[in-house]
Amino acid sequence: MSLDLEKIRADTPGLATVNHLLASGSALMPKPVIDAMTGHILLEASIGGYEAAADKADDLDAVYGHVATLINAKPCEIALMENATAAWCQAFYALPLKRGDRILTCQAEYAANYVAYLQRAKRDGIIIDVIPNDESGAIDVEAIEDLLTERTALIAITWIPTNGGLVNPAISVGKIANKHGIPYLLDACQAVGQMPVDVREIGCDYMTATGRKFLRGPRGTGFLYIREALIEQTEPAMIDHFAAPWVAAKEYALRPDARRFENWENAYALRAGLGAAVAYANDIGLDKIQKRAWHLADYFRLHITTVNGARLRDAGSNFCAIASFTIDGLDPLTTVATLRKQGINIGASDPNSTLLDAQTRHLPTVLRVAPHYYNTKQEIDALIKALRAMV
Ligand SMILES: Cc1ncc(COP(=O)(O)O)c(C=O)c1O
């Protein structure tokens, strides 16, 4: 059965006021997400913050189960975080990398991750190796084994980059990482919520994602997945008395689950919103979500070519729900601002967000359109019409 677009659109109040084509930035939240958050805030206001968390303990606990279901993990393998970067940093900075250890990453790596590599290169003396792209612009899987050395201590890649439609071969990379017993950290920030994600199939040891993008959750939410077998041996870079209760004057005991990466204090209303967003996506089905969102992005790619001077900038051969492009003679930031005034939301991605990729492909700031399953072809037609009027 296909998804119930009428209900989905009725569930999405933002659609009444805006033509929102930027799920890769932050998607529109559905009503159950808004209700979960406002409900919790109102409860905190009426009975107290600690009391609200206690009364809603079961629901708040269920968030781990929803996230686990979404990615085929166990609840004990999930830590809820305030964003994807915080989750990624918790995994990365916990790795005991030593001088001379090597990290293998990709051309389309996200800036936040890359600057962390650079910091540990400066501070700890690690070495960064970058997998070349194949002719399509995706990770060249064939090149990986030649780059591995005895000192390769981590493979860390971005699955879907921030700046376009590329889908890197995360499963093939996982097979190589597993074959050589090398830890595998996957940035799935732009993938989670727009397509089915299965951590067992991917074979990743750590995976990170955000709530506000394709998952349709609130801003300020994200999560970390860590494979169960690794939890006990992983000492987070920073801990508090929730992650590691203070059990004797000179002793702490790390929690046995992934929540050893969390802190004591949290935004419970946002967590409630994240839980509702994940449950909403699980209910619709990620296969259906992917089918419609990717189809709409393809529809955009087909029609943008009718705009004078428009050039698609997506790398790879299997495009996702993010489409990137430039239009000769149009400044991207002005274009975004002009469309915004007309009630159309798209975004721009500057070269610094994916510097290696931008340098390799000589990319300027690109425009970014990311329809979600709640969008329609009419909304994309309205965008194309508005762009045509600007050239
Ligand atoms: C590929 C990728 N990774 C990580 C992030 C960071 O996510 P967050 O802003 O939730 O930390 C982004 C955000 O745009 C992203 O596109």
Side-chain angles (χ1 to χ4, degrees):
M1 241 183 40
S2 63
L3 39 72
D4 184 348
L5 189 61
E6 208 174 312
K7 177 183 179 308
I8 286 163
R9 285 184 67 85
D11 274 352
T12 309
L15 290 171
T17 49
V18 75
N19 179 358
H20 192 77
L21 295 163
L22 192 57
S24 58
S26 70
L28 292 175
M29 292 181 283
K31 220 168 161 299
V33 173
I34 302 162
D35 291 346
M37 288 191 295
T38 50
H40 196 84
I41 294 270
L42 291 174
L43 193 62
E44 285 184 348
S46 67
I47 66 166
Y50 287 18
E51 294 72 15
D55 283 10
K56 290 287 170 187
D58 288 349
D59 291 349
L60 291 166
D61 211 43
V63 181
Y64 295 87
H66 296 318
V67 174
T69 302
L70 178 76
I71 63 169
N72 191 25
K74 295 182 187 170
C76 69
E77 296 175 309
I78 307 299
L80 298 180
M81 311 295 299
E82 61 268 36
N83 54 59
T85 303
W88 189 95
C89 284
Q90 276 288 21
F92 178 64
Y93 283 97
L95 291 165
L97 302 174
K98 296 180 298 298
R99 180 163 295 278
D101 280 349
R102 308 181 81 98
I103 294 175
L104 195 54
T105 186
C106 64
Q107 299 272 354
E109 190 68 334
Y110 185 61
N113 309 345
Y114 210 92
V115 295
Y117 303 146
L118 292 174
Q119 187 188 49
R120 289 195 78 175
K122 186 168 78 172
R123 192 184 75 187
D124 303 330
I126 62 154
I127 297 161
I128 309 165
D129 295 314
V130 180
I131 310 165
N133 286 341
D134 62 18
E135 312 88 75
S136 78
I139 285 176
D140 185 354
V141 177
E142 309 273 293
I144 296 178
E145 287 193 309
D146 286 344
L147 289 166
L148 298 180
T149 76
E150 281 183 358
R151 297 301 303 272
T152 306
L154 177 69
I155 298 179
I157 63 155
T158 295
W159 193 353
I160 292 179
T162 202
N163 66 339
L166 170 67
V167 185
N168 266 324
I171 297 173
S172 306
V173 174
K175 288 205 170 85
I176 297 173
N178 293 170
K179 177 174 152 198
H180 294 272
I182 300 169
Y184 180 26
L185 165 57
L186 181 65
D187 176 339
C189 191
Q190 294 285 26
V192 167
Q194 70 157 299
M195 62 204 257
V197 171
D198 181 336
V199 289
R200 310 273 173 235
E201 185 188 21
I202 299 164
C204 53
D205 296 303
Y206 316 90
M207 193 186 81
T208 54
T210 206
R212 73 179 182 282
K213 293 177 185 264
F214 287 94
L215 268 181
R216 307 183 65 191
R219 295 199 67 175
T221 57
F223 66 84
L224 165 67
Y225 156 82
I226 171 170
R227 192 158 59 80
E228 189 175 18
L230 296 175
I231 298 173
E232 288 241 6
Q233 69 199 56
T234 307
E235 177 95 20
M238 294 168 297
I239 53 171
D240 75 353
H241 58 305
F242 173 81
W246 194 11
V247 291
K250 293 190 178 176
E251 212 181 312
Y252 62 87
L254 280 163
R255 287 178 62 102
D257 56 17
R259 298 182 69 183
R260 62 175 55 191
F261 292 99
E262 294 181 0
N263 292 140
W264 190 86
E265 172 58 2
N266 285 290
Y268 288 104
L270 296 186
R271 283 188 171 191
L274 177 69
V278 177
Y280 194 85
N282 286 341
D283 276 355
I284 292 175
L286 274 298
D287 284 320
K288 289 183 195 165
I289 288 174
Q290 174 181 25
K291 199 164 167 222
R292 182 165 171 88
W294 289 32
H295 173 70
L296 288 172
D298 281 342
Y299 180 83
F300 170 79
R301 286 189 193 94
L302 186 68
H303 287 82
I304 189 64
T305 52
T306 63
V307 176
N308 266 341
R311 272 195 280 171
L312 281 166
R313 300 289 194 153
D314 293 326
S317 45
N318 176 28
F319 301 135
C320 71
I322 309 174
S324 59
F325 64 107
T326 51
I327 299 180
D328 295 344
L330 285 194
D331 171 61
L333 297 181
T334 313
T335 306
V336 170
T338 308
L339 290 169
R340 173 92 204 278
K341 285 193 194 124
Q342 298 172 36
I344 303 173
N345 289 353
I346 71 165
S349 184
D350 72 89
N352 288 359
S353 306
T354 43
L355 194 63
L356 294 187
D357 181 47
Q359 285 177 343
T360 316
R361 295 199 286 133
H362 308 288
L363 288 181
T365 297
V366 294
L367 289 162
R368 200 169 58 142
V369 164
H372 214 340
Y373 61 92
Y374 52 68
N375 287 120
T376 60
K377 288 185 175 166
Q378 288 76 7
E379 286 169 335
I380 291 170
D381 291 341
L383 166 64
I384 301 286
K385 191 171 166 209
L387 287 171
R388 230 181 254 136
M390 287 166 71
V391 293

